[in-house]
Structures are given as structure tokens and as C-alpha cells.
Amino acid sequence: MFTRLLATASLALTATMVAAAATPALAQPAASSTYNVPVTYYTLPNGLKVVLSRDTTAPTVVVAVYYRIGFRVEPKDRTGFAHLFEHMMFQGSANLGKMEFIRLVQRSGGILNGSTRFDFTNYFEVLPAHALETALWAEADRMRGLDITQDNLTNQQGVVSNEVKVNVLNQPYGGFPWLDLPQYANTNWYNAHNFYGDLKDLEAATLKDVQDFFRTYYAPANAVLVVYGDFEESKARALIDTHFGPITGPKPSAQPDLTEPRQRAEKRFTKKDALARKPALAFGYHMPARNTPEFYAMGLLDQILLQGEDSLLHQELVKKKGYAGSIDGGINLLGNMFNYAGPMLWLGSLIHEPTHKADEILESLDAAIARLQDKPLDQATVDRALVKLRSSLYDSLTELNGFGAADLLASFALFDDDPARINGLEAEFRKVTPALLQKTAREYLRRTNRTVLLVEPGQAAAAAQE
């Protein structure tokens, strides 16, 4: 997909204080959370947003840089550029040659990664705490001046094209449903184009195109820097001033209009997949706007309907009806329900036996959803959903020695200018009532807000039956 794990090292991925704090609450779902992520937030004169969060549980530090350029917001005639640039950022900078960034982090005992998402491209390192300045210097070096050469561009155009062929074009169910469904469900080009990019656009990219893209979107004023872990705040601020303060760049360009019109009729599409051996079905419903009461209600409806083997859809479609061995899905399959900024789908998918027709499966889906629409849920069900959501949320904060927390801090700084929002999430979910869940299910899980994508197997299925 759009994530490349570039190196691993010997950092122990131990449980942190966050996980320990979450455990007692599993037995007391109604209790208030006392856990608080420390947040220091400020902006450098060049516009770079900075978030510092100290956690001395382990002697490690996370350095994460998020640029507000994802594949959803790339220019119309430059599809795939956001992803291409993720690759270009490892091809060398003013003081680090090709691939030297990776070797520098490895030699320091760290790990690193980069990924392209709907609304951002990110880069991060997890290192021993004493190597903080190494990461800050290296990230600042490539923000200040990427080594954009024709050789690097040509090389990475080939790498990205091959990635598309391996992961999508020559892969059974390639891109299903995360890449496919938004293209069918949305009408706004920004939400509905091929996020991996058309190969002709990638092949047509010139050196000037890439240089312009870098100057526009990789400027400090279009980014947020997060430092999370074991560090002294005064020393970290001094290092950040030294390495990032002198970097200059333009103001951020205006974000495109990402709004979608209200969907008033069900959409249904069929995609033939020559490599697939069984039919597949995906459904997607447009989500409520981010940070609204209905948005948090959809987070709980996702837990009730789709997350875990106790969910209504797993029980109905897998355990009771036996349509498939599993059903997958959720909100934002390329991240979580907090790290995106525009329209989103709540979606689910399953690869099912050919003996079951799509309409039969959809009728079962409608029956499960109708149970939420016809009458309010009991408080015990809502409390169980809260426990599951809370457990998942706090578990995610500990990922990669605190990268999960850094990811949320960066997202809330980048999209809301308020990283401290991380400490208010649980309270927002606790405000959700059974009545609001019912209202949200009726409005957002209505059939006329749904897009269905059916995968029709091709030669591979026929060959398997011979």
C-alpha cells in the first residue's frame, strides 16, 4: 500500500504507561478518564507548527513531520504526485546522499517510515532518546533542500509504476475496496480520482513539475513537527529553533473544496477481476462531518456493527448466515477516524462464496442496520461499544513507542490547529446517547446514502473450477 517500512532495529516495543492506564477502565466503562497526554504547542516564525509531548516511560523519542499534502489534494493533472514524493524524500538532500537518511537512522539504533494518506504525507523516526538531534537535523536537511535530480526522478517513476502493477494491476482484489470504493461513491474529483495515480501522469512528470511541487507543499508553513518521548523540553526547543528556524518557504496554498453533495440514491457497480477466484462485495456510506456529534456517534456505530467478532455484522453475515469467513472494514482504512480532514466513507467488505448472491447479503446487512434504526439501543450495548472504542484508542497511542500518539497530535495540529484535542476524545464519545445513535443510523446508514461495489471473478475462478 502506501506505507513502506524502511528499516527495523532493536528498539523494544514495550507497553507504555498509556496501556497500563487503560486497563482498569475496561472494568469500569462509565468512569471518567484521568489520563492526559502532555501537549506543548507553538509555531515558528516561518510557519512550522511544533508539538512537544514528553513521556519518559522508555528512553526513546519519536520525531514525526507531517506535510499537508495527501493523495486526495494533489493537483488535478498530477495524480500520483503525493505518493511519488514520498519516495523522492529518501533519495537524498543537501547534506545526505541517496539512502543515507535511512542508514543514519539505522546506525543510531532507530526505525523510520513514510506514508501517503488522504490528506497528508508523513515521515517519522523512533530513536534512542540521545539521538534526538540526529533526527531533527536530518528532517530539517531534507525540508530545506531535497536533491531533486533527473536520475532520482526517473528512478522513482519506475519504482512507483512497479508498485502500482504489483499492488493493484497484477494482484487479485488489488485496491479493493480502499482504492476502488471512493472512486465510485464520490462525485468531487478530489475524492474520486485514482489515488495511486494514472501511469501516464507519473510518466509525464518533468523535473520542473517536481521542483514546483516540493516548493509548494513541502514548505515549513505547510507542515507540523511532533517530538514525543523522553526529552528535555527546553533543549528540544533550542534544537528545533537551530535546525528548522532558518528554513524559509511560501505560505500554504489554499486547500481545494472537498465537499460532496448529499447522496440521494443507492449506487451499485460491478468490477470484473480476472485474477479473483471468488466474488466480493463492498459497501460504503458517507460519514458525518468530522468532529460533529454524529461523527462520534458513527465511531460507536462502527464498534457495534463491524469491529470484532461480537459485532452485529460478524454475527449476522459470518456466524449465522455463513456468507464468508470474515468481514472487514471501518472508518478510514488507511488510518483511523481522526487522521483525515475531508469526506470519508464508513465501509465494509467481504469475499464470499459464489453460492450466495449479492442481494441476499445486502438484505442481511439491511436487517442488521434496521435494528439500530427502528428503536434506541439499550445503555448496556452503548457501554460495551465505549469500552471497545476506548481500548482501541488507548492501545493505538502506544504503537511504535508512541508513534500512535504522535500521529494524533500531528493530525489535530494540522487539521484543527489544536493538538490538545487528543485529551478530549473520550469525553466526546461519552456524550453520545442512544437517541443520537438512532438518529445517526437513520440519516447516515440509509440505503440511499450507500454505494455497493461487486467484484465479479474472471478466468482465475473458471480455471479453479476445471
Side-chain angles (χ1 to χ4, degrees), residues 347-367:
L347 61 82
S349 67
L350 65 162
I351 298 172
H352 62 90
E353 297 298 330
T355 49
H356 298 292
K357 302 302 180 188
D359 282 335
E360 178 187 357
I361 298 171
L362 291 170
E363 286 176 8
S364 297
L365 169 66
D366 287 335

Side-chain angles (χ1 to χ4, degrees), residues 42-63:
Y42 61 99
T43 302
L44 295 184
N46 61 12
L48 178 68
K49 297 176 178 177
V50 179
V51 184
L52 305 178
S53 184
R54 190 163 185 257
D55 177 359
T56 59
T57 306
T60 60
V61 65
V62 178
V63 173

